[in-house]
Amino acid sequence: MTKTDHFKELAFILLEETFESRDKGGNYYLDKQTGWFPTLDALSAAEASFALVPGGSTIAAHTFHTDFYIQANLRELRGEPQTRIDWDSSWRLKAVDDAAWDDLRRRLRATYEETLRLLEGASQWGENQVDVATATITHSAYHLGAVRQFLTALRAKSETSG
């Protein structure tokens, strides 16, 4: 196995773990069922809209931002010309209702699945694929960590208000 093949295999494992939570054993850095999708699927729109401080970030905001970031990476994978990206707009969403929350979770899943299809469909992995895979894994893992911290605050809030 070449180094590129090994990296490619590891990248798919880490993407799966980051988003889907690997149930096949051998997790690299997350506990089972703590990836993006199992985490988000367990939350209501009200929980996703909870801000730690007034006007602060929310789980919905981190989810929207992560999807926005991965979509920028998808444009790169598709070979589309990169234009100036308005990163500030990726943080404007704070609160969601039930329909918007369902849509946001579906959109993140679709973006992730398209990323997998494009990476899997690449006949060879060059710098572009390596860059996108690495950036998607690390950026998504960072924001997943933030979301998991929100869960701690949500649990504490429900214990004190319950």
Side-chain angles (χ1 to χ4, degrees):
M1 177 181 283
T2 68
K3 287 181 183 182
T4 301
D5 289 338
H6 177 72
F7 177 82
K8 183 177 175 180
E9 182 179 306
L10 182 59
F12 284 119
I13 289 169
L14 293 174
L15 283 163
E16 180 185 353
E17 185 170 331
T18 302
F19 287 92
E20 302 176 49
S21 286
R22 299 184 77 228
D23 289 325
K24 302 169 189 162
N27 287 6
Y28 283 80
Y29 75 103
L30 291 176
D31 294 332
K32 289 183 185 332
Q33 298 303 311
T34 57
W36 272 101
F37 302 135
T39 297
L40 299 182
D41 288 346
L43 297 174
S44 68
E47 292 168 324
S49 301
F50 169 71
L52 295 172
V53 296
S57 186
T58 63
I59 290 172
H62 280 274
T63 304
F64 184 85
H65 172 79
T66 299
D67 181 66
F68 186 98
Y69 179 85
I70 298 170
Q71 285 192 35
N73 286 340
L74 278 174
R75 288 190 293 279
E76 178 102 5
L77 276 179
R78 290 186 208 112
E80 296 172 8
Q82 287 288 7
T83 59
R84 185 185 171 284
I85 298 173
D86 180 7
W87 291 109
D88 288 341
S89 71
S90 74
W91 287 105
R92 290 195 182 126
L93 179 92
K94 300 282 189 210
V96 290
D97 60 18
D98 290 340
W101 182 230
D102 288 343
D103 182 58
L104 182 55
R105 290 182 290 184
R106 269 193 302 276
R107 196 168 60 239
L108 179 63
R109 184 176 292 276
T111 302
Y112 162 72
E113 289 172 354
E114 184 176 357
T115 300
L116 288 182
R117 276 192 305 278
L118 289 173
L119 289 172
E120 287 169 346
S123 58
Q124 291 186 344
W125 269 40
E127 191 174 299
N128 196 25
Q129 288 76 18
V130 169
D131 290 352
V132 167
T134 304
T136 299
I137 293 164
T138 56
H139 188 264
S140 300
Y142 172 83
H143 287 284
L144 175 61
V147 166
R148 302 286 310 163
Q149 289 302 305
F150 272 89
L151 295 180
T152 302
L154 281 169
R155 282 188 212 109
K157 179 181 174 236
S158 69
E159 288 173 7
T160 59
S161 64

